[in-house]
Amino acid sequence: MTTATPDAAKSKQLSGLRGRFAAARPAAGFVAAALVLFAVAPLALSDFRLGLLAKYLCTAMVAVGICLAWGRGGLLTLGQGVFFGLGGYAMAMHLKIADAGPGNLPDFMQLYGTATELPWWWRPFANPAFALAATVLLPMAVAAVLGSFVFRRRVKGAYFAILSQALAAAFAIWLIGQQATTGGTNGLTDIQGFFGYDLDDPVNQRMVYFVIAAVLLLLIALARQLIHSRYGELLVAVRDSEERVRFLGYNPANVKLVAYVVAAGMAGLAGALFVPAVGIISPALIGIVPSIELVIGAAVGGRASLVGAVLGAIGVAWAKTALSEEFPAAWTYFQGLLFIVALAFLPGGLASLVGIVRRRRPNRALAGDVA
Amino acid sequence: MTVILGQMFTGVSIGAVLLLIALGLSLTFGQMNVINMAHGEFIMAGAYTTYVLQKSIAGAGISLIVALPVAFLVSGALGALLEWLLIRRLYLRPLDTLLVTWGVSLMLQQLARDIFGAPNVQTRAPDLLTGNITVIGGDDPLTFANSRLFILGLAIAAVVALSLTLRLTPLGRRIRAVVQNRDLAEVSGISTGPVDRTAFFIGSGLAGVAGVALTLVGPIGPTMGTNVIIDAFLVIVVGGIGQLKGSVIVAFVLGVLQSVLEYSTTVSVAKVLVLVAIVAFLQWRPQGLYTLRTRSLV
């Protein structure tokens, strides 16, 4: 970062057309992304493919949070699946209650025949406002509690990564164990309605896609604001030298906590929107393996670059569908190889290639801020 | 009373399995500061080695005895190869080793699936290890499973062998020197590359031995490594990185805790409670049970 600062200053001083062009670039990129998501994709893709894209965009929302927490803050969180799951389950619980209709139990509870009424912790989710708020606030609250414990005692690096991973494992195991109230291994399946709209109707599926695309753009804008704020600078400073930030009078624990909590909220929102798009949430989507897979996309694209992380997440999720349909076994080899190559030989991900190419050209030393 | 004793023994035997799994990690993660997620797959390699040997050697007892050194060599070779191919490029980026080796572990799992098939396989335990020892007879007997006692013995033997190797042999001294101060070790004439590779060979080899032990208590399958690796990492984190005695104590404490909680709640709730206990413990000792005190600010 220290090397990038003079460059950033230089880019601000650039006058004339090129300077204005550089300043307008992020906005132009944003408009282009919106055009692709709202105009090109719905026209070019079949309903089925658009549904898949909606799924990938949810992964990309998680990647925005990962870019913030890991790429910017150095917090390798291998437990984003937990927050994704909390959001997803909160949403799915409400939709299951709504599907069942007033007074009835969700279908899977009737199946086991043991429950005669909704468990107490299900009941608040009957309220749509509570459920919607919970999809974001619940993951944020869990992250806040865990984060404040962990960061205040300066548990970091590998310790934090392993703890977050253990959290994902424990959460998935717990969900599987509570068969009668969480659906166990199956999870919450066969969700039919979304706040009064029938999810089987392709028109409504398109609506869900548009909501997801809009939320993703919103989250990207929010993350960009955060990254380019004073807080964003502080976050990078904590990543690069926590002790120096402490000596300057800031509390690094709070800085890290904010990034972790915001990332958790984004993952929760992604999980909540994933449910109407796919119609299911289950432990298989949120345990250790899917939690790490969420990180893969961001890593391959470029952990520190928003555009890189988002495109990486979408690209890797797409490659997974495309390749695992054709060659189920080969995909795993490819996935492993992707991880090895991206991290061992290209730590900045594909996004750093842009910077590398640009640096090769003299006089245009606008080095990317990928560390 | 016998219920409590029986539960304690179950806890100790869970601890012994944990310890065996964590032992190799305490060398590669604790000493070398490399987070090797493929360690679980090295355990798997040890288990499949036992399976293959049993297919080709008639007696279950002999094949188990043969499997111990062979699994050590197979997994150790895999570890040394991994170190040479990838990890030596990553010594300064420990978090990236985690993700890179996760990629390796994905590939090894798929390789196992392609070679041995996706369903789990099983080995036959030797007759000597299938029975129980009755410790307290009578109406309310207390029995210990022979296989569990064997694993306990194996874990103790492995700990003793590893700590003696690190303390007394020239190789152990070189490993500790490299761990404590790589630059100083290098200018003192130790070539760090081979030392790193040997340490990795031993740590991964111990994973293979753990894999042999696991065949006595459960099925062998492509995902068996993923299931145990997190627990093993937690043992190291709570015990203190690079502290063998910390790992030993914590493995048994966590084993007993897990077993007691499982008895009073359910398996899944026990897992969650153990994690909560670990986070609470780290509040008290953020660097684990035993810490190497340094003046470093990092």
Side-chain angles (χ1 to χ4, degrees):
Chain A
M1 208 49 211
T2 41
T3 52
T5 319
D7 290 330
K10 205 189 297 169
S11 79
K12 272 184 193 146
Q13 286 164 5
L14 280 178
S15 55
L17 207 57
R18 211 169 75 199
R20 253 181 253 167
F21 176 70
R25 245 193 20 225
F30 201 74
V31 170
L35 271 177
V36 169
L37 285 178
F38 284 100
V40 180
L43 288 175
L45 297 176
S46 67
D47 284 340
F48 172 69
R49 291 283 157 194
L50 199 68
L52 285 179
L53 181 60
K55 200 169 118 181
Y56 308 154
L57 295 186
C58 291
T59 317
M61 284 181 212
V62 185
V64 173
I66 289 175
C67 170
L68 210 59
W70 179 38
R72 294 282 157 171
L75 305 165
L76 176 51
T77 158
L78 299 177
Q80 288 308 92
V82 173
F83 307 124
F84 185 84
L86 283 171
Y89 271 89
M91 177 64 96
M93 280 158 75
H94 172 71
L95 298 183
K96 284 307 275 186
I97 296 172
D99 275 353
N104 292 329
L105 283 178
D107 47 7
F108 75 93
M109 286 189 192
Q110 291 168 2
L111 192 69
Y112 298 116
T114 45
T116 49
E117 56 176 4
L118 274 184
W120 61 268
W121 54 274
W122 268 70
R123 266 181 231 149
F125 291 93
N127 181 332
F130 177 88
L132 276 182
T135 59
V136 183
L137 296 182
L138 200 62
M140 289 175 95
V142 171
V145 171
L146 185 80
S148 58
F149 274 118
V150 166
F151 299 140
R152 269 184 223 301
R153 294 299 290 167
R154 304 191 198 175
V155 173
K156 54 189 162 192
Y159 280 51
F160 174 73
I162 288 163
L163 273 183
S164 69
Q165 193 165 39
L167 183 71
F171 185 54
I173 290 169
W174 180 79
L175 282 171
I176 291 169
Q178 312 301 308
Q179 179 91 353
T181 50
T182 64
T185 318
N186 297 333
L188 302 177
T189 57
D190 196 24
I191 286 156
Q192 282 150 1
F194 185 61
F195 296 98
Y197 293 95
D198 178 13
L199 284 175
D200 279 339
D201 188 343
V203 177
N204 290 339
Q205 271 300 335
R206 279 189 170 234
M207 181 193 74
V208 169
Y209 164 80
F210 283 122
V211 171
I212 288 174
V215 170
L216 175 63
L217 287 177
L218 208 70
L219 292 186
I220 292 175
L222 176 78
R224 212 193 114 73
Q225 277 319 101
L226 263 180
I227 285 172
H228 290 275
S229 70
R230 194 181 159 78
Y231 167 78
E233 298 284 323
L234 210 51
L235 186 63
V236 172
V238 168
R239 177 193 71 190
D240 292 343
S241 179
E242 188 169 334
E243 289 304 328
R244 288 190 199 179
V245 175
R246 199 189 308 284
F247 295 154
L248 287 174
Y250 295 98
N251 185 352
N254 291 339
V255 178
K256 291 201 264 187
L257 190 61
V258 170
Y260 187 50
V261 169
V262 169
M266 288 180 173
L269 198 54
L273 291 168
F274 181 86
V275 168
V278 181
I280 179 175
I281 185 85
S282 77
L285 293 164
I286 64 188
I288 298 180
V289 176
S291 288
I292 292 195
E293 281 179 358
L294 289 171
V295 172
I296 301 187
V300 170
R303 63 187 86 160
S305 144
L306 262 181
V307 177
V310 166
L311 290 182
I314 296 174
V316 168
W318 169 79
K320 181 177 182 173
T321 318
L323 281 165
S324 61
E325 274 170 5
E326 292 283 320
F327 327 94
W331 162 246
T332 317
Y333 290 122
F334 182 68
Q335 191 184 23
L337 207 61
L338 204 60
F339 231 11
I340 295 167
V341 171
L343 283 145
F345 302 102
L346 197 64
L350 294 175
S352 65
L353 282 179
V354 180
I356 292 170
V357 171
R358 214 179 274 165
R359 238 168 285 142
R360 291 255 162 92
R361 290 190 229 161
N363 286 333
R364 289 208 56 190
L366 292 170
D369 51 358
V370 176
Chain B
M1 187 58 196
T2 50
V3 174
I4 298 171
L5 283 177
Q7 213 57 36
M8 291 291 285
F9 176 70
T10 311
V12 169
S13 75
I14 295 176
V17 174
L18 265 183
L19 180 57
L20 257 184
I21 296 166
L23 202 59
L25 272 185
S26 80
L27 196 61
T28 54
F29 177 37
Q31 311 269 344
M32 313 294 294
N33 206 14
V34 169
I35 309 167
N36 180 16
M37 293 300 287
H39 195 82
E41 279 58 47
F42 295 163
I43 293 171
M44 174 189 82
Y48 274 117
T49 303
T50 319
Y51 172 74
V52 169
L53 283 174
Q54 196 166 82
K55 287 265 160 193
S56 38
I57 301 177
I62 300 169
S63 74
L64 189 73
I65 299 297
V66 176
L68 285 172
V70 175
F72 184 85
L73 291 177
V74 168
S75 297
L78 280 174
L81 185 68
L82 179 68
E83 201 277 344
W84 179 70
L85 279 176
L86 288 173
I87 290 172
R88 66 191 167 115
R89 300 165 211 277
L90 297 167
Y91 277 116
L92 294 174
R93 297 189 277 144
L95 279 183
D96 284 355
T97 61
L98 192 162
L99 296 165
V100 169
T101 53
W102 172 262
V104 174
S105 100
L106 282 176
M107 297 172 88
L108 288 177
Q109 279 179 30
Q110 189 58 40
L111 194 66
R113 237 174 257 131
D114 287 347
I115 297 175
F116 298 101
N120 288 338
V121 296
Q122 203 105 35
T123 56
R124 235 165 355 97
D127 296 336
L128 197 64
L129 296 182
T130 48
N132 293 299
I133 286 181
T134 309
V135 183
I136 303 173
D139 299 334
D140 194 12
L142 175 66
T143 57
F144 290 172
N146 286 348
S147 58
R148 297 270 177 182
L149 284 173
F150 174 76
I151 292 174
L152 184 58
L154 193 61
I156 293 170
V159 170
V160 171
L162 179 62
S163 63
L164 288 183
T165 307
L166 283 179
R167 270 168 199 283
L168 300 181
T169 64
L171 171 70
R173 275 195 286 274
R174 279 200 294 272
I175 291 176
R176 284 189 296 147
V178 171
V179 168
Q180 277 170 19
N181 194 328
R182 179 169 292 265
D183 295 337
L184 203 54
E186 202 144 352
V187 293
S188 313
I190 298 174
S191 34
T192 51
V195 172
D196 289 337
R197 215 150 304 137
T198 318
F200 238 84
F201 180 83
I202 297 172
S204 309
L206 287 169
V209 173
V212 178
L214 281 184
T215 63
L216 294 171
V217 289
I220 305 161
T223 57
M224 66 184 290
T226 320
N227 297 334
V228 295
I229 190 78
I230 305 295
D231 289 338
F233 272 117
L234 286 178
V235 167
I236 309 285
V237 164
V238 177
I241 287 185
Q243 303 291 316
L244 204 53
K245 59 186 169 188
S247 306
V248 174
I249 294 170
V250 169
F252 285 115
V253 169
L254 282 187
V256 171
L257 193 65
Q258 173 85 26
S259 137
V260 169
L261 287 173
E262 267 177 32
Y263 183 69
S264 38
T265 59
T266 64
V267 178
S268 61
V269 174
K271 279 262 177 212
V272 178
L273 289 178
V274 167
L275 182 67
V276 171
I278 287 172
V279 173
F281 176 82
L282 289 177
Q283 294 299 302
W284 177 49
R285 277 179 175 268
Q287 304 297 314
L289 189 59
Y290 291 101
T291 351
L292 202 64
R293 297 209 179 274
T294 65
R295 283 164 178 271
S296 147
L297 281 173
V298 184

